Amino acid sequence: MKRSVYGADASNRSIASTLHNLGDVKHELGDLQGAQQLYKQALDMKRSVYGADASNTDIASTLENLGSVKADLGDLQGARELVYGADASNTDIASTLGNLGNIKADLGDLQGARELYMQALDMKRSVYGTDASSTDIASTLGNLGIVKADLGDLQGAQELYTQALDMKRSVYGADASNRSIASTLHNLGNVKADLGDLQGARELYMQALDMKRSVYGADASNTSIASTLGNLGIVKADLGDLQGAQELYTQALDMKRSVYGADASNRSIASTLQSLGDVKHELQDLQGAQELYTQALDTTRSVYGADASNTSIASTLHSLGDVKADLGDLQGAQELYTQALDMKRSVYGADASNRSIASTLHSLANVKHELQDLQGAQELYTQALDMKRSVYGADASNRSIASTLQSLGDVKHELQDLQGAQELYTQALDTKRSVYGADASSTSIELTFRCLQDVERELQRLEMCREMHE
């Protein structure tokens, strides 16, 4: 259409931009030759418009993307020449590799990004020296750590972040404060948290927070500080410090609204609303939790669209269902759990099995049970149990499986399926003892033991009645 309007051979920024964007699509679809051709057309047109020797961000963007395609095609020399010219040094090549790694990471090609970052790291070490410390090497170590973390290699990411942190402190000074060091402290805290080292994560987040406030100002508001406040809140919540977590989430939420605007809607704000709602819920502030979950749901739908389906919306629907159930609004809870379940199946697939779906099945069954829809509850608990065993393993023992065994046993008991209830209570008891210890004492084990005793007594009475009538 643009060529129809401007002419088949016309050159202008609008056509060039469309060629560039079409190249991006071809690139993401894996049509590298097609992408290369379109980027070249866009580059030629931009140079025709701006001048053959012009330099600007528009031309640079197409050069970088064309370089990325050339790298994907194995032409690293061509990629280097596009970005830095034929006479580029090894430092320039390393920088090019790093930039291409950034592009691949942004496009979601984590394996490709990792390979390019490793090439860049090797080249920088060959330039500076194997044991050299420089901000350039530290930056690549950090980027490689991010990719490793995203790929699930948490130990590898931890090692790289630690190297990057040590190197930055070697360069800037052991007591130096700057954004680069603070960022690495934050990222290392993320990995520690994911590895379950909550105390280590808390310490690193606190160092990062103190440093950011030192750099930006004690009363500064920005997304970087807000991010660390939020992550520190997550760790405090996981450590059981709910009041501390609530305070940090509130600070993070206020800061994000200060930065983005009081009425702004974005994923970051929605995430903090959800987290603050979780803490309020655990603190039994049910009205406060309900209000925050509702805000989170409205914000997320504002971002993704009123009819959108994704895991974030489904999670908030489930959480809001939990609060409604705790407030005694069982019909409201049932409706929300049903929406959450339908959405999760829409996102993951109708036959998918995962912990998230299993959790919603169990919660929906709880509500059906309380509403005395025993057949409906039995069906949902059975689905939840089958799914959990599919996810964790047929012989796995954990509290989640034990909880569903117990609840399904309760329903079987109420339906007078005493043999089925006895079998399920026995499995629940064995599972709990496996989890807590064979000789452990807990209210959960005691509850299941009593339920099993009740069923066995009823079975004995039935057997006695049958014998009397024979």
Side-chain angles (χ1 to χ4, degrees):
M1 188 173 290
K2 289 183 180 180
R3 281 172 168 162
S4 169
V5 173
Y6 294 111
D9 299 322
S11 293
N12 63 44
R13 284 177 289 181
S14 178
I15 295 173
S17 175
T18 302
L19 287 165
H20 179 107
N21 292 338
L22 188 53
D24 288 343
V25 172
K26 293 271 190 186
H27 194 180
E28 289 193 51
L29 288 171
D31 181 0
L32 301 181
Q33 294 292 350
Q36 180 175 238
Q37 182 179 349
L38 287 160
Y39 285 141
K40 283 181 177 179
Q41 290 178 45
L43 182 61
D44 291 343
M45 191 169 290
K46 288 179 182 182
R47 283 174 168 163
S48 170
V49 171
Y50 294 110
D53 299 320
S55 295
N56 61 40
T57 55
D58 197 19
I59 292 173
S61 173
T62 303
L63 281 168
E64 280 198 351
N65 287 18
L66 181 55
S68 177
V69 169
K70 284 194 174 283
D72 285 343
L73 288 166
D75 183 7
L76 291 179
Q77 177 74 13
R80 181 199 73 181
E81 291 181 4
L82 276 168
V83 181
Y84 285 103
D87 299 325
S89 67
N90 284 341
T91 306
D92 291 334
I93 296 171
S95 181
T96 302
L97 289 166
N99 290 338
L100 293 174
N102 294 341
I103 292 170
K104 285 200 173 282
D106 290 340
L107 289 170
D109 181 3
L110 300 179
Q111 294 288 357
R114 181 177 63 176
E115 182 179 340
L116 286 162
Y117 286 143
M118 289 176 71
Q119 291 179 43
L121 183 61
D122 290 343
M123 190 164 288
K124 288 178 182 181
R125 282 174 167 161
S126 76
V127 171
Y128 295 107
T130 304
D131 300 321
S133 292
S134 79
T135 55
D136 198 16
I137 293 174
S139 174
T140 303
L141 286 166
N143 287 343
L144 187 54
I146 292 170
V147 168
K148 288 221 179 225
D150 288 342
L151 286 167
D153 181 4
L154 299 179
Q155 293 291 351
Q158 181 176 234
E159 182 179 341
L160 287 160
Y161 286 141
T162 302
Q163 290 179 45
L165 182 61
D166 292 343
M167 191 170 290
K168 288 178 183 181
R169 284 174 165 163
S170 170
V171 172
Y172 293 112
D175 299 321
S177 293
N178 62 42
R179 285 177 290 182
S180 178
I181 294 174
S183 175
T184 304
L185 286 166
H186 178 104
N187 289 341
L188 187 53
N190 290 344
V191 171
K192 292 272 190 189
D194 289 339
L195 286 168
D197 181 1
L198 299 180
Q199 295 290 355
R202 181 176 64 177
E203 182 180 341
L204 286 159
Y205 285 141
M206 290 177 70
Q207 289 180 46
L209 183 60
D210 291 342
M211 190 171 291
K212 288 179 181 182
R213 283 173 166 163
S214 169
V215 171
Y216 294 109
D219 299 320
S221 292
N222 62 43
T223 55
S224 178
I225 294 173
S227 176
T228 303
L229 283 167
N231 286 12
L232 183 55
I234 292 170
V235 168
K236 284 203 178 258
D238 289 342
L239 286 168
D241 181 3
L242 298 179
Q243 293 292 350
Q246 181 176 235
E247 182 180 342
L248 288 161
Y249 286 142
T250 302
Q251 290 179 46
L253 181 61
D254 292 343
M255 190 171 290
K256 288 178 183 181
R257 284 175 165 163
S258 169
V259 171
Y260 294 113
D263 299 320
S265 293
N266 63 41
R267 286 175 291 181
S268 179
I269 290 173
S271 174
T272 305
L273 286 165
Q274 173 78 32
S275 297
L276 186 53
D278 292 341
V279 169
K280 293 268 190 189
H281 193 183
E282 290 192 59
L283 288 168
Q284 293 303 302
D285 180 0
L286 300 181
Q287 294 293 348
Q290 181 175 237
E291 181 180 344
L292 286 159
Y293 286 144
T294 302
Q295 289 180 46
L297 185 60
D298 292 342
T299 301
T300 308
R301 283 176 164 160
S302 172
V303 171
Y304 293 106
D307 299 320
S309 292
N310 62 43
T311 55
S312 180
I313 294 172
S315 176
T316 304
L317 286 167
H318 182 111
S319 297
L320 192 52
D322 289 341
V323 171
K324 291 271 189 189
D326 289 343
L327 285 167
D329 181 2
L330 299 180
Q331 293 292 350
Q334 181 174 235
E335 181 180 342
L336 287 160
Y337 286 141
T338 302
Q339 289 179 46
L341 182 61
D342 291 344
M343 190 170 290
K344 289 178 182 182
R345 284 174 165 162
S346 168
V347 172
Y348 293 113
D351 299 321
S353 293
N354 63 42
R355 285 176 290 181
S356 178
I357 295 173
S359 173
T360 303
L361 284 166
H362 182 102
S363 296
L364 182 55
N366 288 344
V367 170
K368 291 218 178 252
H369 191 180
E370 291 192 58
L371 288 168
Q372 289 303 299
D373 179 2
L374 299 181
Q375 293 292 349
Q378 179 177 236
E379 181 180 343
L380 288 163
Y381 283 137
T382 301
Q383 289 179 45
L385 181 60
D386 290 343
M387 191 170 291
K388 288 178 182 182
R389 284 175 165 163
S390 168
V391 171
Y392 295 109
D395 299 320
S397 294
N398 61 42
R399 283 177 288 183
S400 177
I401 291 174
S403 173
T404 304
L405 286 165
Q406 174 76 41
S407 297
L408 185 53
D410 292 340
V411 170
K412 294 268 191 188
H413 193 177
E414 290 182 55
L415 288 167
Q416 291 302 301
D417 179 1
L418 299 182
Q419 294 286 356
Q422 181 185 38
E423 181 180 344
L424 286 159
Y425 286 144
T426 301
Q427 290 179 47
L429 186 60
D430 290 343
T431 301
K432 289 180 181 181
R433 284 173 170 164
S434 172
V435 171
Y436 296 108
D439 300 321
S441 296
S442 77
T443 54
S444 178
I445 291 175
E446 185 178 345
L447 171 66
T448 305
F449 183 71
R450 286 179 179 175
C451 289
L452 181 57
Q453 283 185 319
D454 289 342
V455 169
E456 288 176 342
R457 279 195 291 266
E458 289 183 51
L459 284 168
Q460 287 172 357
R461 283 197 295 270
L462 284 173
E463 183 61 27
M464 289 172 63
C465 287
R466 276 195 290 267
E467 290 176 354
M468 288 174 61
H469 287 87
E470 285 180 358

